[in-house]
């Protein structure tokens, strides 16, 4: 009976629950399912943006626009966004307002820059950039690459001195200077102290009795740091949200202040100037906290008002504290919200309150530049703030604000825009290092100085006392170069006597001839700004026919037929039929090795650490490498995000001269004309799409990091020169005259010394002439057109590698090779003809040595002469032999020899015997040559 009663009781409970459920459902308000189906999308704006993958930016669309859904290439229209129901007069008024704004932008900064500002391109965050002032003449910078360098005034000019962390320490993210002691924080969170020009790791050590948390110093990782106003202490926030203090440097004295109850320390907003023990911090949730170790409790939270809550929580960034702004003994802490607004936390008459200052219209603020100590005496304060789109705004605040002045504060925004063809880095505060001079980090890795006219730039050191009333109140921009670690052209200082000395510069002195070489003369800011163009500024100059360029069928084979593996020992050749042969010197014998693959090959695109990269007829990228004493193939295109390719870097450098790093990568050109990065370091293969300039697709790579570290130079299919910065991942177009159209062939780099950035890129023009793009510290970039050796000869193949930094070979349309060399600072042509072989003997000349009949010395006097007359005495037993040079890109074989392909399929080596004297050393028979051969072959396995 008990079980029966239990069952009855359970049924009773279930029935009651069912009735309660029905009753509660009937109590629900009447916005259930019937009204859910009648809900409609309410459009409240006429401005919409779409993301374009080619430019990696948001672009505003014009209404109406169709909403299209695509699944498996099957696209259907699912909706429409139309303009809201505004009157025609309202639309015209809005259009007129936008037109006036655009017109004002054009007038203030030029037509192209104004259009850029309207593109609403939000810049990426640069997490490693920072600016730190040591003195008026010493600025320490961390670049996006993680390098550390110092801009130092040596008495003559500003010079750059490197202070990089050791490789094992990784990248740096910030520098702190405490009482002349320099600290650096690495990306991993380790703290380093500079001692005797070396970086030494400094690990926090706490007194266990005062340590508030059971965290050992070995696991503490720094996130950021801020130096106190007296310059004697430094506060750190850790990656785990702790607040640490280094109160003494020698010996180090650490204090762990913990974290706010139920929160963390994500950033140090500022520190008090009067009460030096007070620190203001911002949590990761955007709340403001005040730490005062002399009070109890030590942590206090500043509650936000309803007005500030509308703008979102605070951004964990450095703020700016101003005293006596609204009266004596008042304190104002300026901060930014996540909505991009400027807010103020003001203490006046012992009462705290929040004040919202807002932001310029249609702009999102991302950083605040702290004030100089001298500015506190001014009648008004100027806050300089950067925006998410790379502009700089000045916000002027008069002292002792009244109610009337507060009402007019929205008119205090002044837009300083940004330098031409460059943007200020997002989220990186500027640095006021002298009155009237502010330094900003640019998004492209360079620096820019915003200064008053008559102050600043490269040859201006410490600013003396000046009368602000006599200076123009309008600021101007000047761009400053960054070092090669950031992909730019700033040269490091030297220990040599002269204007570039790292300690004390000396002005130019007369040389032996009595002339003064103006080493201190540097490019003006306007010239430097014109060399590099932002993408999109040359669209009106593009020629449609150039954009429709089609590659010849044998383009890959002629550009990448030969590839050096090891200097003087091994190189590869790809035949017309797609076969792979390696010419190898082993056991005192030269022989041909055949490397078989299931698909025919079209070219050898690269060589890294003994592994050779090939492309087959389908565009598949393959690696041929040795694994456990056996040769193996690796399909790179089949990897994740792999693509089909058509080209690669032209040169790998001489074997043994390239350093191997953890960031090594090869760059390739995809079939769709995009630049692809393939990481190869430590065999951690990874593809990355670097895209292409929005104006054009990529035709070929001119140079990869030989001429300039971290920079890949390419030619677009429109015949114009571009560069890709591996550090900032940005594209730039180089200034180029409209009449100059480059050929779509690889180039070569010439750099005389790795200790100097002076050098040139050599390319061919579309009409077959030699073109040089030269850079030096005095004149910057300049185009030089070398033309052709003679009127009847055009250049038909990519340039050879540069020899001794002042010579390179070109292949003429007449089958001769021409040497372009510099003699006493003058460029000259020399005709080196082609290899002669009078008796028709086509045997491999390796064991025979240099044959006297083949030693045709390059001729100086008559560059138009050729050696065709010598062919009349040749024995034509084998008419299939043609010793003229084929239009195939040559390769280096050693430091003083080059390998060319002949028209009959054989190879020929030319060697340097004196400074500019070259002789044909030998002819190498190949397995597929139409001329009679004698060679040894083997099958590689």
């Amino acid at each position: 009976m008990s079980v029966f009663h239990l069952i009855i009781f359970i049924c009773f409970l279930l029935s009651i629950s069912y009735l309660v459920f029905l009753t509660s459902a009937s109590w629900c308000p009447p916005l259930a399912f019937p009204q859910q189906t009648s809900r409609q999308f309410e459009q409240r704006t006429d401005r919409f943006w779409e993301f374009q993958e080619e430019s990696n930016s948001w672009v505003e669309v014009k209404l109406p626009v169709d909403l299209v859904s695509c699944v498996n290439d099957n696209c259907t229209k699912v909706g429409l966004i139309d303009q809201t129901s505004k009157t025609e007069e309202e639309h015209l008024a809005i259009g007129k307002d936008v037109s006036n704004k655009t017109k004002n932008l054009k007038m203030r900064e030029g037509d192209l820059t104004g259009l850029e500002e309207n593109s609403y391109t939000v810049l990426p965050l640069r997490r490693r950039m920072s600016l730190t002032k040591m003195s008026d003449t010493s600025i320490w910078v961390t670049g996006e690459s993680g390098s550390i360098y110092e801009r130092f005034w040596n008495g003559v000019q500003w010079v750059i001195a490197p202070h990089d962390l050791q490789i094992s320490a990784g990248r740096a993210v910030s520098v702190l200077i405490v009482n002349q002691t320099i600290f650096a924080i690495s990306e991993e969170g380790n703290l380093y102290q500079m001692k005797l020009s070396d970086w030494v790791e400094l690990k926090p050590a706490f007194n266990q009795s005062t340590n508030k948390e059971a965290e050992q110093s070995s696991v503490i990782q720094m996130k950021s740091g801020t130096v106190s106003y007296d310059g004697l202490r430094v506060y750190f926030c850790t990656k785990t949200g702790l607040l640490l203090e280094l109160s003494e440097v020698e010996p180090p004295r650490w204090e762990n202040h913990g974290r706010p109850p139920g929160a963390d320390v994500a950033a140090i907003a500022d520190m008090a100037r009067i009460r030096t023990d007070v620190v203001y911090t911002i949590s990761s949730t955007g709340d403001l906290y005040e730490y005062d170790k002399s009070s109890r409790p030590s942590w206090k939270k500043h509650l936000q008002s309803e007005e500030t809550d509308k703008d979102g929580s605070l951004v964990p960034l450095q703020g700016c504290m101003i005293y006596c702004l609204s009266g004596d003994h008042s304190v104002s802490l300026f901060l930014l919200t996540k909505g991009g607004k400027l807010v103020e936390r003001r203490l006046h008459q012992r009462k705290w309150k929040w004040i919202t200052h807002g932001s310029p219209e249609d702009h999102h603020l991302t950083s605040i530049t702290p004030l100089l100590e001298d500015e506190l005496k001014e009648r008004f304060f100027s806050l300089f703030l950067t925006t998410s789109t790379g502009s700089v705004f000045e916000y002027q605040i008069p002292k002792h604000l009244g109610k009337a002045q507060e009402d007019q504060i929205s008119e205090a925004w002044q837009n300083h825009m940004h330098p031409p063809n460059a943007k200020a880095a997002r989220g990186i505060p500027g640095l006021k290092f002298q009155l009237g001079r502010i330094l900003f980090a640019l998004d492209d890795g360079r620096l820019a100085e915003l200064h008053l006219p008559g102050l600043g730039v490269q040859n201006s050191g410490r600013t003396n006392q000046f009368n602000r009333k006599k200076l123009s109140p309008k600021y101007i921009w000047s761009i400053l170069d960054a070092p090669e670690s950031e992909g730019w052209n700033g040269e490091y200082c030297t220990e040599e006597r002269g204007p570039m000395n790292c300690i004390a510069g000396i002005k130019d002195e007369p040389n032996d001839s009595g002339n003064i070489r103006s080493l201190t003369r540097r490019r003006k800011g306007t010239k430097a700004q014109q060399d590099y163009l932002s993408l999109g500024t040359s669209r009106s100059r593009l020629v449609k026919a150039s954009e429709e360029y089609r590659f010849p069928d044998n383009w890959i084979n002629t550009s990448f037929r030969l590839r050096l593996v090891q200097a003087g020992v091994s190189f590869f050749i790809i035949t017309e039929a797609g076969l792979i042969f390696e010419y190898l010197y082993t056991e005192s014998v030269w022989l041909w090795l055949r490397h078989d693959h299931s698909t025919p090959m079209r070219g050898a695109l690269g060589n890294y650490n003994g592994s050779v990269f090939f492309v087959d007829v389908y565009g598949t990228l393959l690696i041929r490498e040795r694994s456990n004493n056996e040769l193996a193939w690796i399909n790179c295109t089949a990897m994740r995000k792999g693509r089909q390719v058509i080209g690669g870097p032209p040169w790998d450098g001489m074997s043994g001269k390239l350093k191997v790093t953890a960031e090594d990568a090869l760059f390739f050109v995809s079939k769709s004309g995009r630049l692809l990065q393939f990481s190869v370091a430590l065999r951690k293969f990874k593809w990355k799409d670097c895209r292409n300039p929005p104006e054009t697709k990529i035709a070929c790579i001119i140079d990869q990091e030989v001429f300039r570290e971290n920079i890949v130079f390419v030619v677009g299919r429109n015949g114009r020169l571009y560069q890709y910065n591996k550090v900032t991942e940005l594209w730039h177009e180089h200034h180029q005259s409209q009449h100059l159209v480059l050929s779509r062939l690889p180039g070569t780099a010439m750099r005389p010394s790795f200790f100097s950035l002076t050098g040139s890129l050599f390319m061919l023009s579309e009409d077959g002439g030699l073109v040089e793009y030269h850079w030096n510290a005095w004149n910057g970039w300049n185009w030089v057109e070398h033309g052709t050796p003679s009127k009847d000869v055009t250049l038909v193949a990519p340039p050879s590698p540069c020899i001794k930094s002042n010579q390179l070979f070109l292949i003429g349309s007449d089958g001769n090779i021409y040497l372009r060399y510099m003699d006493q600072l003058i460029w000259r042509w020399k005709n080196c003809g082609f290899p002669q072989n009078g008796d028709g003997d086509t045997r491999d000349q390796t064991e025979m040595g240099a044959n006297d009949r083949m030693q045709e010395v390059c001729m100086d006097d008559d560059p138009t002469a050729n050696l065709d007359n010598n062919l009349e005495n040749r024995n034509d037993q084998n008419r299939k032999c043609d010793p003229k040079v084929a239009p195939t890109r040559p390769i280096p074989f050693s430091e003083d020899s080059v390998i060319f392909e002949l028209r009959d399929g054989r190879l020929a080596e030319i060697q340097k015997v004196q400074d500019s004297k070259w002789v044909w050393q030998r002819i190498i028979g190949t397995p597929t040559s139409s001329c009679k051969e004698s060679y040894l072959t083997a099958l590689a396995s």
Side-chain angles (χ1 to χ4, degrees), residues 54 535 546-547 549-551 555 560 644-649 667-677 688-703 712-725 730-732 742-746:
E54 292 184 356
L535 297 182
S546 299
E547 191 63 32
Y549 177 83
R550 294 293 181 267
F551 292 97
W555 184 88
F560 300 98
Q644 294 177 325
V645 299
I646 61 171
F667 285 83
F668 302 95
V669 179
S670 70
K671 277 189 172 182
S672 59
R674 301 168 77 94
L675 185 67
L676 305 176
Q677 179 179 339
K688 178 182 177 180
D689 186 1
C690 303
R691 305 181 305 279
N692 56 277
E695 302 105 2
T696 183
K697 296 179 180 180
I698 298 173
C700 64
I701 297 175
I702 295 296
D703 175 71
V712 181
F713 292 92
V714 304
V715 170
R717 295 183 184 178
N718 58 0
R720 310 196 71 83
L721 182 65
Y722 300 86
Q723 74 170 41
Y724 175 78
N725 191 315
L730 292 178
W731 284 96
H732 281 88
L742 301 175
S743 69
R744 288 70 168 176
L745 293 173

Side-chain angles (χ1 to χ4, degrees), residues 38-55:
S38 63
R39 295 181 62 188
Q40 295 182 353
F41 171 73
E42 182 179 0
Q43 181 178 336
R44 298 185 177 183
T45 181
D46 281 339
R47 305 186 69 181
F48 292 87
W49 287 263
E50 64 176 352
F51 186 77
Q52 289 187 351
E53 294 184 358
E54 292 184 356
S55 60

Side-chain angles (χ1 to χ4, degrees), residues 576-812:
E576 292 284 354
L579 301 178
I580 308 172
F581 289 95
E582 178 184 5
Y583 195 54
L584 179 66
Y585 185 75
T586 177
E587 297 181 357
S588 303
V589 176
W590 286 97
L591 56 87
W592 286 101
L593 290 180
R594 193 179 74 193
H595 296 257
D596 286 341
H597 192 266
S598 58
T599 58
M601 295 295 159
R602 298 188 66 182
L605 302 185
N607 169 33
Y608 177 80
N609 201 23
S611 298
V612 184
F613 292 77
F614 295 92
V615 59
D616 65 9
V617 293
Y618 303 108
T620 304
L621 183 66
L622 302 158
I623 301 179
R624 183 63 160 170
E625 66 175 12
R626 187 172 296 278
S627 176
N628 298 327
N629 296 326
E630 293 185 359
L631 291 171
W633 289 99
I634 299 178
N635 190 333
C636 303
T637 301
M639 298 179 183
R640 184 174 177 268
K641 295 184 179 181
R643 303 287 182 89
Q644 294 177 325
V645 299
I646 61 171
W651 309 112
D652 308 303
M654 298 301 295
S655 178
K657 289 190 176 182
L658 293 179
K659 60 180 181 180
V660 178
T661 68
E663 300 176 356
D664 287 347
L666 273 70
F667 285 83
F668 302 95
V669 179
S670 70
K671 277 189 172 182
S672 59
R674 301 168 77 94
L675 185 67
L676 305 176
Q677 179 179 339
F678 186 67
S679 300
V680 294
L682 306 176
R683 293 185 57 80
K684 296 180 179 179
F685 301 131
K686 182 181 178 181
W687 285 97
K688 178 182 177 180
D689 186 1
C690 303
R691 305 181 305 279
N692 56 277
E695 302 105 2
T696 183
K697 296 179 180 180
I698 298 173
C700 64
I701 297 175
I702 295 296
D703 175 71
Q704 178 194 328
E705 301 186 86
V706 175
F707 182 75
R708 194 68 81 238
E709 185 180 355
N710 296 318
I711 294 295
V712 181
F713 292 92
V714 304
V715 170
R717 295 183 184 178
N718 58 0
R720 310 196 71 83
L721 182 65
Y722 300 86
Q723 74 170 41
Y724 175 78
N725 191 315
K726 196 169 71 170
V727 176
T728 60
E729 301 180 0
L730 292 178
W731 284 96
H732 281 88
E733 180 185 358
H734 283 264
H735 177 73
Q736 186 175 331
S737 63
Q738 297 185 19
H739 80 275
L740 178 59
V741 180
L742 301 175
S743 69
R744 288 70 168 176
L745 293 173
T748 190
M750 178 182 290
R751 183 167 167 177
S753 171
F754 285 100
F755 300 101
S756 174
L757 301 182
T758 299
S760 301
L761 294 172
F762 287 91
M763 300 154 280
L764 297 186
S765 63
E766 194 174 42
D767 56 4
L770 178 63
V771 178
E772 175 188 4
Y773 194 42
H774 179 75
W775 190 92
N776 61 50
W778 306 281
N779 300 312
W781 288 105
N782 283 288
W783 288 97
V784 180
E785 296 190 47
H786 293 257
T788 60
S790 66
K791 296 181 179 179
D792 300 329
V793 176
T794 58
L795 305 177
V796 294
S800 75
C802 291
I803 308 296
K804 299 300 181 183
S805 301
N806 62 357
Q807 304 176 47
L808 72 158
F809 286 101
L810 289 306
I811 301 174

Side-chain angles (χ1 to χ4, degrees), residues 510-515:
N511 54 24
D512 297 337
S513 61
N515 296 324

Side-chain angles (χ1 to χ4, degrees), residues 3 85 112 257 330 482 564 608 665 713 885 935:
V3 174
S85 57
L112 297 174
H257 300 303
S330 66
L564 178 69
Y608 177 80
F713 292 92
V885 181
Y935 54 85

Side-chain angles (χ1 to χ4, degrees), residues 30 268 392 599 713 740 840 857 894:
I268 299 174
V392 174
T599 58
F713 292 92
L740 178 59
V857 180
S894 64

Side-chain angles (χ1 to χ4, degrees), residues 784-840:
V784 180
E785 296 190 47
H786 293 257
T788 60
S790 66
K791 296 181 179 179
D792 300 329
V793 176
T794 58
L795 305 177
V796 294
S800 75
C802 291
I803 308 296
K804 299 300 181 183
S805 301
N806 62 357
Q807 304 176 47
L808 72 158
F809 286 101
L810 289 306
I811 301 174
S813 56
D814 57 356
N816 294 335
I817 67 168
Y818 294 86
L819 178 67
R820 188 62 166 169
Y821 69 102
M822 180 173 287
D823 181 23
Q824 298 180 352
L825 301 180
I826 299 177
W827 283 105
R828 302 180 185 275
W829 287 104
K830 184 180 292 186
N831 187 343
C832 293
F834 53 87
Q836 303 298 306
N837 197 356
D839 58 0

